[in-house]
Amino acid sequence: MSAQDPQSSMFRGASMELSSRPQKTTAFTGVTAEEGLDDKNDLQDEVEGSKKSSLKDAVDMRRMGKQQLLVRRFRQLTIAAFIGTTTAAWEYALFLVSPGLVDGGTAGLLYNVIWSFFGFGAIYLSLAEMASMAPIAGSLYHWVSEFAPENVQGIMSYFTGWISTIAWQAGYAQGILLAGTQIQTIILVMNDNYEAPAWQGTLLSFAAILISYGVNVYGVRSLPYWQVPVFAIGTMAYFAYIVPVWCNAPTATHEQVWSGFSNTGGWSSMTLAVLVGQLSGISMQTGVDTAAHMAEEVKDAAVAVPRAMMTIFLIDFALVFPLLVTICYHLPDIDAALNDTTAYPGIYIMRQAMSDTWIAVIMAVITFICMASNITYLAGVSRDLFAFARDKGLPFSPWFSKVDPKRSIPVNANLFSCVLSAILALIYIGSPVAFYAITSLNTVSLLQCYVFAIGCVLWRRIKHPETLPPARFSLGRFGVPVNIAAVVYSAWSCFWCFWPQSTPVDAGGFNWASPLYILALIVSALYYLKARHRYEGPVVAVEGRNVHAH
C-alpha cells in the first residue's frame, strides 16, 4: 500500500489519535494508548490482508476480541439485496395470509399487518443500532452477553444462543420444504387430479438442500454478485402478479375489505379472533436481521448492515401491503379461497384472473426466488451456528466453528444445517403435522430472543449509558422509547404466537410451539450443566467490560 493510499492515511490518523489520548481505561474500550499502539501492526495487517476489512471493521473486531476469519465480500448495496432476497417478502406473503383471513378476515389481516409494521419498526431500529455497536455474526446472544448485567449475562446469553440457533435452523427447514411443495403447487394448478404426495415434496426438498449447500460452499465467492439481479427479478414478478389480478379478478367492496371482520376460527369474540390472527402480520415481517449474522462478511459493517436492514424493511412493507390490499379486494368469497385445492388464497386469486400457463410462469419465478432465499438464508443460519460454537455454547463446538482455510467459510456449519433440514423433511413424509410443529419454533423463538437482547441494551442505556459502545447508526435520545416499544411488542407478539388457529383444538390444529419451546429450554438447560464450565459468554473477550458490570 502506497504512502498516498487513503486507507493508509486513515490508519495513521487513528494511530495518532490513540497516541494522543491519556493512558487510562475507557468505559467502552478498556484499551490504553500504549496497548492501542502495540496492536497497530495487527490492525494494519488485517486491513491490508485478504479478509478485505476496513480499518473500522478491524477496530470493531479487536474491541470484541474476535479474529477476522471470514472474508468481507459484501458492500452496502449487495448486503441490502441479500436481505431482500432472504426475506422474499411478497413471495412468502402469498403463502402466509390464511391465518389472518381465518381469524380476522380481510379487515383484520390488513390492520394487523399495519400494526405489526410499527411494532417491528421499533424492533429493527433497536437491532440495527446494536448491529452498529457490535457488528458480529453472533448478534442476538452476543448483544445479550455484552449488555446484560454481569451476574446474569452468562446464563442469559447461553439460552438466547440456543433459542436463536433453534429458531434459525427451524426457519431454514421450513423454507426448504416450501420450495419443494411450491413445485407441487405448480403441478396442482395444471392438474387438479394431482394428489401432491408428501414423499415427493420431501424429495424436491432434498434437491433444494443440495442446491443451497452447493452454492454456499462451492459458489461462495459468487454470493454478492447475484443478489441485486435476483432481487430485481422478484420485483418484476411482483407486478406480473399484481396487474392481471387488478384487471381480471372478481372484486370485493370497500366495506367488505376494510370492515369485513370474520371469525372462522370459532373464538368467543371477534376481538379475540383478530388478536389470534396477528400471526400472519408477524410472520411477514421476520428475517430482516439475517444481515446481522453476515456482519463479519460486510465491509464497513457498523454502517452498512443497519442501513441495509432498515432500507429493506421499508421496501418489503412497500411491496407487501399493496399486495395484501390487492388480495383482499379480490376476495369476495373468503371461504372459497380458504377451501381452494392449493390451500393458498393468494393462488386462488391467480386462478380467477390468469391462465394456467401464466400462473405456472409466475409460480416458477416465485419458486426460483424462494430457492435463492433458501441459499442466502443458509448463509445466515450457518454463521449463527458458527458464532455460537466459536464461543463454546454447543456440543462439538470445535467442529462447528471450524473455518475452511481455502474458502474462508464455516463449511461444517453449512453441512450440519443441511443434514438437519433433510432429517426434518423426512419427518414430513410420516407426519406433516409433526414437521410444522417443529418448524413453528422459528417465529416465537426469535421474538423471545428480541425481548432478551433489546431488554438488555435498554437496561444498560438507562443504568450505565457511559458503558455503551459508540454506534454509527444511533437512536440518540429516542433510544429509550424505541427500545421500550420493541420489548413490549416482542413480548406481546410472542404470547399470541403460541395460540392455535381455531377452536375447539385437536392434534392437527394444536399449536405445538409451546410444548416444543419448553422442550428446547429443557434440553439446553441439561446441556448447560456441562457447558457452564466452559461457556463464559462472549463479553469476557470484550475490551473494557470490567467497568460498571453489575
Side-chain angles (χ1 to χ4, degrees):
M1 185 177 290
S2 69
Q4 300 301 318
D5 190 278
Q7 187 82 290
S8 179
S9 299
M10 280 180 60
F11 186 85
R12 288 197 305 275
S15 300
M16 291 174 64
E17 183 181 352
L18 279 172
S19 64
S20 64
R21 292 175 182 168
Q23 297 184 17
K24 67 177 183 178
T25 301
T26 68
F28 61 86
T29 62
V31 182
T32 65
E34 290 188 359
E35 286 171 337
L37 290 172
D38 289 341
D39 292 329
K40 180 173 64 175
N41 291 333
D42 291 338
L43 291 176
Q44 183 75 33
D45 290 343
E46 188 170 322
V47 171
E48 294 179 346
S50 61
K51 305 305 181 185
K52 302 181 180 180
S53 296
S54 70
L55 174 62
K56 293 183 183 298
D57 292 326
V59 170
D60 283 337
M61 292 295 283
R62 175 68 177 86
R63 186 192 71 80
M64 293 181 288
K66 303 299 182 187
Q67 181 183 358
Q68 182 68 46
L69 299 174
L70 311 179
V71 179
R72 296 185 182 271
R73 298 184 173 95
F74 288 88
R75 302 296 184 267
Q76 177 78 67
L77 177 62
T78 51
I79 193 60
F82 176 95
I83 305 170
T85 300
T86 302
T87 56
W90 79 265
E91 292 91 344
Y92 284 129
L94 284 174
F95 304 96
L96 294 171
V97 298
S98 292
L101 292 175
V102 169
D103 298 312
T106 54
L109 173 65
L110 292 177
Y111 294 132
N112 270 329
V113 169
I114 294 171
W115 157 249
S116 297
F117 169 74
F118 287 106
F120 270 91
I123 289 173
Y124 287 135
L125 280 170
S126 300
L127 297 182
E129 183 185 46
M130 287 189 284
S132 183
M133 292 177 181
I136 194 165
S139 65
L140 291 169
Y141 83 89
H142 178 100
W143 299 333
V144 169
S145 179
E146 185 164 348
F147 302 135
E150 181 68 21
N151 57 341
V152 296
Q153 70 80 20
I155 192 167
M156 282 187 68
S157 64
Y158 171 81
F159 280 106
T160 302
W162 266 82
I163 298 302
S164 171
T165 299
I166 290 171
W168 288 106
Q169 295 292 331
Y172 177 63
Q174 201 171 45
I176 281 291
L177 187 76
L178 180 60
T181 56
Q182 280 175 345
I183 298 174
Q184 291 183 293
T185 301
I186 297 173
I187 299 172
L188 185 59
V189 168
M190 304 298 290
N191 179 13
D192 278 335
N193 296 320
Y194 177 62
E195 297 181 355
W199 65 268
Q200 290 184 5
T202 294
L203 286 180
L204 291 168
S205 299
F206 286 170
I209 290 171
L210 288 175
I211 293 171
S212 292
Y213 181 81
V215 175
N216 267 280
V217 174
Y218 301 105
V220 63
R221 291 180 178 85
S222 71
L223 274 181
Y225 299 106
W226 53 263
Q227 302 302 322
V228 174
V230 168
F231 186 65
I233 291 170
T235 304
M236 288 187 287
Y238 173 82
F239 292 102
Y241 177 95
I242 289 280
V243 174
V245 170
W246 276 107
C247 292
N248 301 322
T251 58
T253 65
H254 297 307
E255 184 178 0
Q256 284 177 306
V257 172
W258 298 104
S259 303
F261 294 96
S262 65
N263 183 10
T264 309
W267 297 103
S268 58
S269 70
M270 188 64 70
T271 300
L272 182 58
V274 172
L275 291 174
V276 172
Q278 290 178 96
L279 181 60
S280 287
I282 293 168
S283 301
M284 292 176 191
Q285 308 284 353
T286 59
V288 170
D289 52 323
T290 311
H293 296 294
M294 301 297 293
E296 294 176 40
E297 294 167 71
V298 180
K299 191 163 187 175
D300 207 13
V303 171
V305 169
R307 285 180 180 173
M309 287 174 60
M310 297 314 302
T311 299
I312 296 301
F313 172 66
L314 295 174
I315 290 175
D316 281 353
F317 184 75
L319 293 173
V320 167
F321 190 70
L323 172 76
L324 296 178
V325 171
T326 299
I327 290 174
C328 291
Y329 264 102
H330 296 87
L331 276 182
D333 189 345
I334 293 179
D335 290 336
L338 291 172
N339 293 319
D340 184 65
T341 54
T342 65
Y344 298 119
I347 297 177
Y348 166 82
I349 293 172
M350 295 171 70
R351 301 178 80 173
Q352 308 303 305
M354 310 174 196
S355 67
D356 288 348
T357 301
W358 189 240
I359 294 173
V361 169
I362 293 179
M363 284 299 300
V365 175
I366 290 174
T367 302
F368 167 75
I369 298 298
C370 290
M371 187 63 252
S373 171
N374 288 322
I375 293 170
T376 53
Y377 199 91
L378 176 60
V381 167
S382 61
R383 284 9 173 226
D384 171 79
L385 185 64
F386 150 77
F388 195 41
R390 176 175 60 184
D391 288 315
K392 304 177 182 177
L394 294 168
F396 313 110
S397 286
W399 187 80
F400 284 126
S401 60
K402 183 177 180 181
V403 174
D404 183 274
K406 179 180 178 181
R407 298 181 175 87
S408 298
I409 59 168
V411 173
N412 293 342
N414 278 277
L415 178 62
F416 173 82
S417 300
C418 289
V419 171
L420 179 60
S421 291
I423 293 172
L424 292 177
L426 287 172
I427 294 175
Y428 180 76
I429 297 177
S431 175
V433 172
F435 172 83
Y436 288 118
I438 294 171
T439 56
S440 67
L441 284 172
N442 172 246
T443 302
V444 71
S445 298
L446 281 178
L447 288 167
Q448 178 265 304
C449 293
Y450 296 159
V451 172
F452 277 14
I454 301 171
C456 287
V457 78
L458 174 62
W459 174 86
R460 188 160 292 278
R461 172 172 264 128
I462 294 172
K463 295 287 288 185
H464 304 295
E466 73 280 3
T467 65
L468 284 174
R472 295 165 68 194
F473 182 94
S474 175
L475 298 180
R477 65 180 183 275
F478 300 106
V480 170
V482 170
N483 291 162
I484 290 174
V487 170
V488 171
Y489 179 77
S490 297
W492 166 269
S493 300
C494 187
F495 171 75
W496 291 107
C497 283
F498 284 119
W499 285 62
Q501 189 172 316
S502 60
T503 183
V505 181
D506 56 18
F510 184 69
N511 188 333
W512 293 92
S514 49
L516 288 172
Y517 180 77
I518 294 172
L519 178 62
L521 290 177
I522 292 172
V523 171
S524 58
L526 290 174
Y527 184 70
Y528 185 69
L529 297 176
K530 177 181 179 181
R532 62 191 175 91
H533 299 296
R534 56 190 178 88
Y535 178 82
E536 299 177 286
V539 72
V540 299
V542 174
E543 295 172 337
R545 280 303 309 277
N546 60 329
V547 181
H548 297 302
H550 297 281

